[in-house]
């Protein structure tokens, strides 16, 4: 049987095709094209190539996935090589995985050729990197299309503090923004909506989360658009404008939280970070003034690295201080299991209180991975009502094992 390729055509600009994609396109006998592919890219197909449009734009009904696969098989069995061309990357919201499975089920070997995905290319056109040291530890690609059961968990996504790159989200933007705000994301979070990225028709709106939907509507930004949400958007400089020499910094929130942590040996700084972020919910690490733990654990390299990473003071608590704190707060949970491992009846709750003298309010979330985290709020902080109060049973405290 002849060759079959699943090719990513990139976001639109033909220059952003890969060399591998160009070569495959040049030799394919049949090219099956999706709706988002720039017609200019089809000039790279050889003169012999039969071009078949299977997308739904321009008023035509889209060809069902089943028929596309049947069509590919028909040409392949007739000895023709087939290139299946998709926008962006075939494996990012492109249903490429489904087509691959269907062809593999028929015993057809398929070569996958990656393309540059719109979620990276669109922000790049504005000088926005999806990750940037000091602003975010990562980026999440998510569909905005789903509703009901397919709806992404926007609350959980907001809590990560990572860049959100939303595909297919422009029609549901009002709803998405409302849910992120409700989840505690700052209304000042910088956002961009970028339509037809990398094409001459590209347009964009850059606005804070609170006004993004209204500004997108006013500018009539439509599909296809990528929405980028997160601090990296503060680096944006639209084409033709100079890069910002001074990156506008968001005013730092007051550091009104303290964290008590118990953990077993061998945890990594990243695991500590994930656990603390989970416990903080919508609050950011920038709000944490101090981390505290049992004195003999305070030199743990993972904990030290985590505190240095976020400029958080590290407080050591002696067992006697912890027991005194527990005696002063009879309602705090205590555990014989924890005692057996650490010599004190609890670690994270008393340490959180000891880290910020005067703090009384407490919220805790067991975060797993052998790590327990408790958050104390300093008196007068406006934040305490938002913290999650979902302490787990003591028996699940497996710190310090
Ligand atoms: N496989 C594609 C995504 C297909 S899903 C990729 O990797 O890029 C279709 C969605 O992709 C659109 O709704 C839009 O959110 C995004 N998209 C694709 N091309 C785009 C472009 N040139 N500009 C902005 N968004 C684009």
């Amino acid at each position: 049987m002849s060759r079959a390729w699943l090719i990513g055509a990139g976001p639109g600009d033909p220059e952003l095709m890969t060399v591998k994609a160009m070569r495959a396109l040049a030799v394919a006998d049949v090219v099956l094209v999706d709706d988002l592919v720039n017609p200019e890219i089809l000039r790279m197909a050889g003169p012999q190539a039969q071009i078949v449009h299977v997308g739904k734009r321009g008023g035509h009904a889209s060809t069902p996935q089943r028929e596309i696969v049947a069509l590919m098989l028909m040409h392949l069995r007739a000895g023709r090589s087939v290139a299946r061309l998709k926008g962006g990357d075939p494996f990012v919201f492109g249903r490429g995985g489904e087509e691959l499975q269907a062809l593999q089920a028929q015993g057809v070997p398929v070569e996958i050729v990656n393309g540059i995905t719109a979620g990276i290319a669109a922000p790049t056109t504005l000088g926005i990197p999806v990750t940037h040291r000091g602003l975010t530890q990562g980026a999440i690609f998510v569909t905005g299309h789903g509703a009901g059961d397919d709806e992404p968990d926007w609350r959980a996504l907001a809590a990560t503090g990572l860049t959100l790159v939303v595909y297919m989200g422009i029609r549901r933007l009002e709803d998405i923004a409302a849910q992120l705000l409700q989840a505690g994301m700052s209304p000042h979070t910088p956002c961009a909506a970028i339509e037809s990225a990398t094409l001459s028709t590209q347009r964009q709106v850059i606005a804070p989360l609170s006004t993004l939907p209204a500004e997108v509507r006013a500018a009539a930004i439509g599909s296809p658009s990528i929405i980028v949400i997160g601090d990296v958007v503060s680096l944006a400089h639209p084409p033709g404008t100079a890069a910002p020499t001074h990156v506008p910094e968001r005013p730092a929130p007051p550091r009104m939280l303290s964290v008590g942590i118990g953990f077993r040996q061998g945890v990594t700084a990243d695991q500590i970070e994930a656990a603390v972020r989970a416990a903080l919910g919508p609050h950011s690490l920038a709000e944490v003034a101090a981390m505290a733990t049992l004195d003999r654990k305070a030199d743990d390299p993972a904990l030290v690295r985590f505190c240095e990473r976020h400029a958080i003071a590290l407080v050591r608590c002696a067992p006697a201080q912890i027991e005194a704190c527990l005696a002063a707060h009879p309602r705090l949970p205590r555990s014989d299991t924890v005692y057996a491992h650490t010599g004190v009846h609890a670690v994270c709750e008393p340490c959180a209180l000891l880290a910020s003298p005067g703090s009384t309010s407490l919220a805790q979330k067991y975060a797993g991975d052998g790590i327990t985290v408790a958050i104390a709020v300093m008196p007068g902080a406006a934040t305490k009502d938002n913290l999650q109060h979902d302490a787990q049973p003591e028996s699940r405290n497996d710190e310090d094992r």
Side-chain angles (χ1 to χ4, degrees):
M1 203 185 273
S2 32
R3 292 174 80 176
W5 298 270
L6 202 48
I7 300 175
D13 177 354
E15 299 272 307
L16 291 176
M17 288 265 287
T18 63
V19 176
K20 206 171 211 177
M22 270 175 70
R23 290 207 175 121
L25 208 51
V27 298
D29 298 313
V30 182
V31 183
L32 300 185
V33 192
D34 248 9
D35 45 13
L36 276 177
V37 175
N38 181 355
E40 273 183 47
I41 285 173
L42 299 175
R43 294 207 200 125
M44 296 178 195
Q48 79 292 348
Q50 180 188 341
I51 311 274
V52 185
H53 290 270
V54 291
K56 59 179 158 229
R57 271 161 203 254
H60 306 292
S62 68
T63 315
Q65 206 69 19
R66 230 178 334 103
E67 283 179 33
I68 294 173
V69 172
L71 202 58
M72 287 183 80
L73 285 170
M74 189 266 285
H75 286 297
L76 288 166
R77 287 182 177 139
R80 291 185 278 271
S81 58
V82 178
R84 173 79 175 100
L85 197 56
K86 289 172 162 289
D89 185 276
F91 278 3
V92 180
F93 299 123
R95 305 189 68 177
E98 291 166 48
E99 287 182 26
L100 177 66
Q101 281 175 335
L103 291 166
Q104 280 176 337
Q106 301 294 322
V108 177
V110 184
E111 295 169 53
I112 314 290
V113 182
N114 286 115
I116 297 179
T117 189
I120 293 175
T124 296
T125 63
L126 304 181
I128 302 169
V130 289
T131 71
H132 190 77
R133 206 153 60 94
L135 288 182
T136 179
Q137 281 75 42
I140 294 176
F141 290 173
V142 59
T143 171
H145 190 250
D149 287 347
D150 281 339
E151 178 87 26
D153 184 345
W154 296 107
R155 173 168 293 278
L157 292 173
T160 64
L162 303 181
T163 307
L164 300 183
V165 180
V166 186
Y167 291 68
M168 299 171 276
I170 208 75
R171 287 202 191 90
R172 295 200 53 231
L173 181 57
E174 261 91 5
D175 213 21
I176 293 167
Q179 292 196 53
L180 290 172
L181 288 168
Q182 220 172 14
M185 190 179 269
S186 164
H188 306 296
T189 307
C191 302
I194 309 152
E195 181 193 286
S196 300
T198 78
L199 295 167
S200 57
T201 48
Q202 172 170 339
R203 299 184 313 134
Q204 64 272 328
V205 160
I206 298 172
L209 181 59
S210 54
T211 61
L212 182 74
E215 294 194 39
V216 160
R217 213 176 325 116
I221 297 282
S223 184
S225 281
I226 286 289
I227 302 158
V228 190
I229 301 165
D231 288 344
V232 287
V233 179
S234 63
L235 300 169
H237 57 104
T241 67
T245 45
H246 168 70
V247 176
E249 275 180 26
R250 284 215 273 158
R255 291 190 180 252
M256 298 297 271
L257 305 178
S258 58
V259 175
I261 187 163
F263 55 96
R264 63 171 155 65
Q265 224 153 18
V267 297
T268 65
D270 288 340
Q271 285 170 325
I272 291 178
E273 173 141 356
V276 174
R277 282 188 186 278
L280 284 170
H283 292 277
S284 78
L285 286 165
E287 291 170 73
V288 177
M291 289 286 287
T293 193
L294 197 56
D295 51 8
R296 67 183 162 81
K297 305 283 293 197
D299 295 321
D300 183 279
L303 183 62
V304 171
R305 195 165 326 122
F306 167 77
C307 289
E308 281 174 0
R309 198 187 271 173
H310 297 287
I312 296 172
L314 187 50
V315 176
R316 319 165 72 94
C317 302
Q321 282 177 293
I322 292 177
E323 289 297 349
C325 178
L326 283 169
H329 296 88
R331 289 177 58 200
L332 286 185
R334 48 200 81 208
S335 146
D336 291 338
T337 322
V338 172
Y339 184 78
H341 289 288
T342 63
V344 290
H345 284 95
V347 174
C348 59
E349 302 89 349
C351 285
L353 291 174
L354 287 166
S356 53
S359 62
T360 47
S361 195
L362 196 80
Q364 183 208 356
K365 183 175 168 113
Y366 171 81
D369 258 347
I371 301 171
T372 55
V373 177
I375 314 282
V377 185
M378 292 176 198
T383 52
K384 60 187 171 195
D385 292 341
N386 299 340
L387 280 162
Q388 301 161 18
H389 291 261
D390 57 353
Q392 299 289 314
E394 287 165 44
S395 58
R396 296 194 56 192
N397 282 8
D398 63 346
E399 64 199 32
D400 220 52
R401 294 210 181 142

